[in-house]
């Protein structure tokens, strides 16, 4: 009778090596201990900015009224120095979920700034009335709190006209550091045409989700820019190594609203 030998795995505990059989090796993997959170390793340490992204699904017959109302309130908050937040960009989805508004906010000062803004807004009667009116126009809404990858561009106001693509990736848990390492090298292949706006990863909301924001003149220039990346040495390997990290992905083509700083 042929003897069957099952694989074993070594794991470290308090400086000693122990052997475990094949059954436990199916579930236990040797992992190097980390002394810092993923967010601290990936985000820009020189800033304490926190980002919030909002996805609002609007009733089809209310989109124009919603945009006008949102623009009025955003302008007031954007210009009011008493609120440590500003609008990075606002869009309507063109291809993707229809009748959808997407807003990206920046809170200068991180979580304390977010808390300060929420406290002030909850005591602002004009804002509370705005939320009441806005709720009549919405089908659903959700948001996420984000940090910015250290190797991406800082999102700054931009003249138009442009279209924007938001590519959202849901990663396998535990792969964020590997994703960041590959994209830190890959981003250099996508800088020549000034299309890279910002890259973010979630802190609260749907975890292990990444958002990459790009700008193009139109859909044709998008296709040409993306195709040109494949002609650069190293881009293909970056794609090869990051694809296995992804559970699902989504692409939105978005049009900036009239009040958006990113045009």
């Amino acid at each position: 009778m042929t003897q069957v030998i099952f694989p074993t795995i070594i794991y470290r505990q308090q400086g000693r090596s122990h052997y475990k059989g094949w059954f436990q090796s199916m579930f236990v993997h040797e992992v190097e201990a980390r002394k810092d959170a993923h967010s601290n390793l990936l985000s820009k340490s020189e800033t304490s900015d926190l980002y919030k992204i909002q996805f609002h699904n609007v009733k089809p017959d209310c989109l124009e009224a919603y945009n006008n109302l949102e623009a009025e309130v955003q302008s007031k908050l954007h210009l009011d120095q008493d609120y440590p937040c500003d609008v990075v960009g606002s869009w309507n989805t063109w291809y993707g979920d229809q009748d959808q508004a997407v807003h990206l906010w920046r809170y200068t000062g991180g979580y304390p700034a977010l808390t300060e803004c929420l406290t002030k807004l909850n005591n602002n009667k004009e804002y509370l009335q705005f939320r009441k009116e806005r709720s009549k126009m919405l089908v659903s809404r959700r948001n996420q709190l984000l940090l910015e990858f250290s190797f991406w561009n800082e999102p700054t106001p931009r003249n138009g006209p442009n279209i924007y693509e938001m590519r959202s990736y849901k990663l396998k848990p535990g792969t964020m550091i590997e994703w960041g390492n590959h994209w830190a090298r890959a981003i250099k292949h996508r800088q020549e045409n000034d299309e890279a706006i910002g890259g973010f990863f979630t802190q609260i909301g749907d975890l292990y989700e990444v958002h990459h924001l790009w700008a193009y003149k139109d859909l044709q220039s998008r296709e040409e820019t993306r195709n040109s990346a494949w002609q650069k040495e190293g881009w293909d390997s970056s794609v090869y190594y990051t694809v296995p990290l992804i559970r699902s992905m989504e692409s939105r083509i978005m049009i900036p609203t009239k009040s958006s700083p990113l045009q």
Side-chain angles (χ1 to χ4, degrees):
M1 180 177 180
T2 304
Q3 182 181 10
V4 179
I5 302 176
F6 291 105
T8 60
I9 186 170
I10 300 175
Y11 75 101
R12 295 181 176 86
Q13 181 180 10
Q14 297 177 349
R16 294 179 298 171
S17 296
H18 298 264
Y19 289 86
K20 290 294 179 181
W22 69 275
F23 184 79
Q24 186 166 352
S25 73
M26 293 173 64
F27 304 100
V28 180
H29 301 278
E30 185 176 332
V31 178
E32 292 296 329
R34 295 193 180 277
K35 297 182 180 180
D36 207 348
H38 286 184
S39 58
N40 293 336
L41 296 171
L42 292 167
S43 61
K44 295 183 177 180
S45 58
E46 69 273 13
T47 67
S48 56
D49 291 348
L50 179 71
Y51 291 83
K52 179 174 72 174
I53 191 167
Q54 298 173 304
F55 300 97
H56 290 173
N57 293 316
V58 185
K59 295 177 181 178
D61 58 340
C62 295
L63 188 58
E64 183 177 357
Y66 167 91
N67 285 337
N68 292 334
L69 182 62
E70 192 75 40
E72 179 183 352
V73 175
Q74 283 184 359
S75 296
K76 290 180 180 179
L77 290 178
H78 190 75
L79 297 174
D80 193 335
Q81 298 299 315
D82 197 37
Y83 291 86
C85 66
D86 61 286
V87 184
V88 177
S90 288
W91 303 269
N92 291 149
T93 301
W94 184 20
Y95 288 100
D97 290 334
Q98 298 294 282
D99 305 304
Q100 184 181 70
V102 180
H103 309 289
L104 183 63
W105 291 82
R106 175 170 44 222
Y107 295 86
T108 303
Y111 289 107
L114 173 68
T115 302
E116 180 184 348
C117 282
L118 292 179
T119 301
K120 290 179 177 178
L121 290 174
N122 286 332
N123 291 285
N124 185 325
K125 292 183 179 180
E126 184 179 3
Y127 181 77
L128 293 177
Q129 182 61 34
F130 153 72
R131 289 193 61 180
K132 184 176 180 180
E133 291 300 315
R134 186 185 65 181
S135 67
K136 300 174 185 178
M137 306 177 185
L138 297 180
V139 177
S140 64
R141 59 193 180 102
R142 67 184 178 95
N143 59 23
Q144 299 171 336
L145 294 181
L146 315 170
L147 291 178
E148 184 184 11
F149 282 113
S150 61
F151 47 85
W152 270 78
N153 297 350
E154 185 79 18
T156 56
R158 173 177 297 224
N159 295 326
N162 295 291
I163 64 169
Y164 290 81
E165 181 177 19
M166 179 175 290
R167 296 179 72 87
S168 301
Y169 305 87
K170 292 185 178 180
L171 306 183
K172 298 175 183 177
T175 62
M176 188 66 74
I177 292 292
E178 188 176 356
W179 176 273
N181 286 337
H182 287 300
W183 265 97
R185 294 186 290 270
I187 192 65
K188 65 182 180 181
H189 301 300
R190 299 293 305 277
Q191 298 280 20
E192 289 182 3
N193 296 325
D194 198 29
E195 73 265 24
I197 301 296
F200 311 89
F201 60 98
T202 54
Q203 280 291 90
I204 296 178
D206 298 320
L207 298 180
Y208 284 98
E209 186 164 1
V210 171
H211 300 291
H212 290 174
L213 186 60
W214 310 91
Y216 306 100
K217 291 182 180 179
D218 49 37
L219 289 175
Q220 181 61 34
S221 68
R222 170 187 176 272
E223 182 178 12
E224 293 170 357
T225 299
R226 289 177 55 81
N227 287 341
S228 68
W230 289 98
Q231 309 304 317
K232 299 171 184 175
E233 185 177 357
W235 174 253
D236 55 346
S237 61
S238 297
V239 173
Y240 176 83
Y241 286 114
T242 53
V243 165
L245 310 179
I246 301 171
R247 290 192 299 164
S248 64
M249 58 189 295
E250 180 180 5
S251 171
R252 290 178 177 84
I253 301 296
M254 308 183 301
I255 304 297
T257 61
K258 293 180 180 179
S259 62
S260 174
L262 285 169
Q263 284 295 310

